[in-house]
Amino acid sequence: MISIENQLGLRPAMGWNSWNTFTWDINEQLIRDMADLFVTEGYKDAGYEYIVIDDCWSLKERDKDGNLVADPEKFPSGMKALADYIHSKGLKFGMYSCVGTHTCAGYPGSFEHEFQDAKLFAEWGVDYLKYDYCFKPRHISGELLYKRMSLALKNCGRDILFSACNWGADNVYQWIRESGAHMYRSTGDIRDNWDSIKELAISQLDKQCYTGSFCHNDMDMLVVGMYGGSNNDFIGRIGGCSDNEYKTHFSLWSIMGSPLMIGCDLRNANQVTKEILLNQELIAINQDLEGRGAYRIKPEPQWFHSDDVFMLVKVLTNGDLAIGFFNLSDSQRELSLQFWDLGLPYAAGFSLSLYDCWEHKELGVFRERFAPVVPARDCLIVRAKLVQ
Ligand code: GLA
């Protein structure tokens, strides 16, 4: 019998993607370096699995048979050899294409080549395909083009995780799960600054009912650890966040069930970056088997708080609750959680034992309410256990 645990897309994907930091400036040595670091620095052991090459990997033209061609200057050994290398490390290999005639950076897209490209990706040993939305002919629906590539991938002879990337356009929530995609971008491109993180997170708070096993809401790749280190001004060469902002970013993406795709240069990740990306308690919340979305609770008194101050609660498989106290505002706030809002009346006689997932320590046992003071742009993530 096939174990459900091994099914493609059961949990949010975890990996690294070349785009945020390197955009067009990619090559096979860089990709190999990231695979090596996944193993030596503990990312693989923590659950990170996919090494994904984003846009700008091919030549500008297909060959005479209509096949995509890897740029021989960037990838002289070819994609098959690169896939073999990544597989030899016990990792998986991801690539990128687009529903349209061209990718967003102007390389050939898979429009009207879907089955041919899926076959080629399978031959190369690809395990993951990110599928973008630029240069889409207007007469044809995106929904149909995602169905097409899904059908091609599911029948190409290899398990390939299908990562749709249409930026939340065309009410993607309403049709993407049925199309066969395992994850779907729900937002415009992230930038390496606090305003972008905050905007993307808030935009998805009322979309948590759509995310779940086998079709995860992808809030875009992580900017944790970039500190303004992109070669692309739009993403944030002059941006960058504080360590606390990166911690809050990772907490939001974890509890909201987004795939965790690292976007920084792991060759020079500092200690704080590693502690954030390798936080096992946050990763366990993100990867929880039942894959539920998180519900939002406004802190009391409700009239006092704006929309950037909220609690998120994710019901976990073993009966615990992951609770995030998020203060995305610019001033310190007390976030009061009344346990009745979790379905726990005082009269039931139970309390909650709280464990702090960033400080890695027990906070104690609380009955009726818990009201931490959270600094600006910060958060507290607890794992709560019901106790007598
Ligand atoms: C779009 C996507 C990004 C990235 C670029 C590549 O903007 O949303 O994540 O893949 O295209 O050109």
Side-chain angles (χ1 to χ4, degrees), residues 28 30 53-54 58 61 86 97 178 209 219 234 259 263 302-303 344 369 379:
E28 65 184 33
L30 172 75
I53 302 177
D54 208 281
S58 75
E61 303 294 338
I86 290 170
S97 189
E178 295 90 318
C209 55
M219 292 159 48
F234 177 74
Q302 294 193 24
W303 54 265
L344 183 59
R369 78 192 283 257
C379 67

Coordinates of all heavy atoms in Angstrom, one line a residue, residues 28 30 53-54 58 61 86 97 178 209 219 234 259 263 302-303 344 369 379:
E28 N 25.3 26.7 -12.7 CA 25.2 25.4 -12.1 C 26.0 25.3 -10.8 O 25.7 24.6 -9.9 CB 25.6 24.3 -13.1 CG 27.0 24.3 -13.5 CD 27.3 23.2 -14.6 OE1 26.4 22.9 -15.4 OE2 28.4 22.7 -14.6
L30 N 26.4 27.7 -8.5 CA 25.6 28.3 -7.5 C 24.6 27.2 -7.0 O 24.4 27.1 -5.8 CB 24.9 29.5 -8.1 CG 23.8 30.1 -7.2 CD1 24.5 30.9 -6.0 CD2 22.9 31.0 -7.9
I53 N 15.5 26.2 -9.6 CA 16.0 27.2 -10.5 C 14.8 28.0 -11.0 O 13.9 27.4 -11.6 CB 16.7 26.6 -11.7 CG1 17.9 25.7 -11.2 CG2 17.2 27.7 -12.6 CD1 18.6 25.1 -12.3
D54 N 14.8 29.3 -10.8 CA 13.7 30.1 -11.3 C 13.9 30.6 -12.8 O 14.7 29.9 -13.5 CB 13.5 31.3 -10.4 CG 12.0 31.8 -10.3 OD1 11.7 32.5 -11.3 OD2 11.3 31.5 -9.4
S58 N 17.2 29.3 -19.5 CA 17.3 28.7 -20.9 C 17.9 29.7 -21.9 O 18.1 30.8 -21.6 CB 15.9 28.3 -21.3 OG 15.1 29.4 -21.7
E61 N 15.7 30.9 -27.5 CA 15.0 30.2 -28.5 C 15.0 28.7 -28.2 O 15.9 28.2 -27.7 CB 15.6 30.4 -29.9 CG 15.8 31.9 -30.3 CD 14.5 32.6 -30.6 OE1 13.4 31.9 -30.9 OE2 14.4 33.8 -30.5
I86 N 21.9 16.8 -7.5 CA 21.0 17.2 -6.5 C 20.4 15.9 -5.9 O 20.3 15.8 -4.6 CB 19.9 18.2 -7.0 CG1 20.6 19.5 -7.3 CG2 18.8 18.3 -6.0 CD1 19.7 20.5 -8.0
S97 N 8.8 27.4 -15.5 CA 8.3 27.8 -16.9 C 7.1 28.6 -16.7 O 6.8 29.1 -15.6 CB 8.0 26.5 -17.7 OG 7.8 27.0 -19.1
E178 N -9.1 22.3 -8.0 CA -9.6 21.4 -8.9 C -8.7 21.2 -10.1 O -8.8 20.2 -10.8 CB -11.0 21.9 -9.4 CG -12.1 21.9 -8.4 CD -12.1 23.2 -7.6 OE1 -11.1 23.8 -7.3 OE2 -13.3 23.7 -7.4
C209 N -9.3 29.8 4.6 CA -10.3 28.6 4.4 C -10.0 27.8 3.1 O -10.4 26.7 2.9 CB -11.7 29.1 4.4 SG -12.0 30.4 3.2
M219 N 2.4 32.2 -0.3 CA 2.4 33.6 -0.1 C 3.7 34.2 -0.7 O 4.0 35.4 -0.4 CB 2.2 33.9 1.4 CG 0.8 33.6 1.8 SD 0.6 33.4 3.6 CE 1.4 34.8 4.3
F234 N 13.8 45.9 -7.7 CA 12.4 45.7 -7.3 C 12.3 44.9 -6.1 O 11.5 45.2 -5.1 CB 11.6 45.1 -8.5 CG 10.2 44.9 -8.1 CD1 9.3 45.9 -8.1 CD2 9.7 43.6 -7.8 CE1 8.0 45.7 -7.7 CE2 8.4 43.4 -7.5 CZ 7.5 44.4 -7.5
P259 N 4.0 27.4 1.7 CA 5.3 26.7 1.5 C 6.5 27.6 2.0 O 6.4 28.8 2.0 CB 5.4 26.6 -0.1 CG 3.9 26.6 -0.5 CD 3.2 27.5 0.5
G263 N 14.9 32.2 0.2 CA 15.3 33.1 -1.0 C 16.6 33.8 -0.8 O 17.0 34.6 -1.7
Q302 N -11.9 45.0 21.0 CA -11.7 45.0 19.6 C -11.7 46.4 19.0 O -11.0 46.6 18.0 CB -12.9 44.2 19.0 CG -12.8 42.7 19.4 CD -13.7 41.8 18.5 OE1 -14.1 42.1 17.4 NE2 -14.1 40.7 19.1
W303 N -12.4 47.3 19.5 CA -12.5 48.6 18.9 C -11.1 49.3 19.0 O -10.8 50.3 18.3 CB -13.5 49.5 19.6 CG -13.4 49.6 21.1 CD1 -14.0 48.8 22.0 CD2 -12.5 50.4 21.9 NE1 -13.6 49.1 23.3 CE2 -12.7 50.1 23.2 CE3 -11.6 51.4 21.6 CZ2 -12.0 50.7 24.3 CZ3 -10.9 52.1 22.6 CH2 -11.1 51.7 23.9
L344 N -12.9 27.4 24.6 CA -12.7 26.8 25.9 C -13.3 27.7 27.0 O -12.7 28.7 27.4 CB -11.1 26.8 26.1 CG -10.7 26.2 27.5 CD1 -11.2 24.7 27.6 CD2 -9.2 26.1 27.6
R369 N -7.5 33.4 30.3 CA -7.0 34.3 29.4 C -5.5 34.4 29.4 O -4.9 34.0 30.4 CB -7.6 35.7 29.5 CG -7.0 36.5 30.7 CD -7.8 37.7 31.0 NE -7.6 38.8 30.0 CZ -6.8 39.9 30.3 NH1 -6.2 40.0 31.4 NH2 -6.7 40.9 29.4
C379 N 6.2 39.3 17.2 CA 5.2 38.3 17.5 C 5.6 37.3 18.6 O 6.8 37.3 18.9 CB 4.9 37.5 16.2 SG 6.3 36.4 15.7

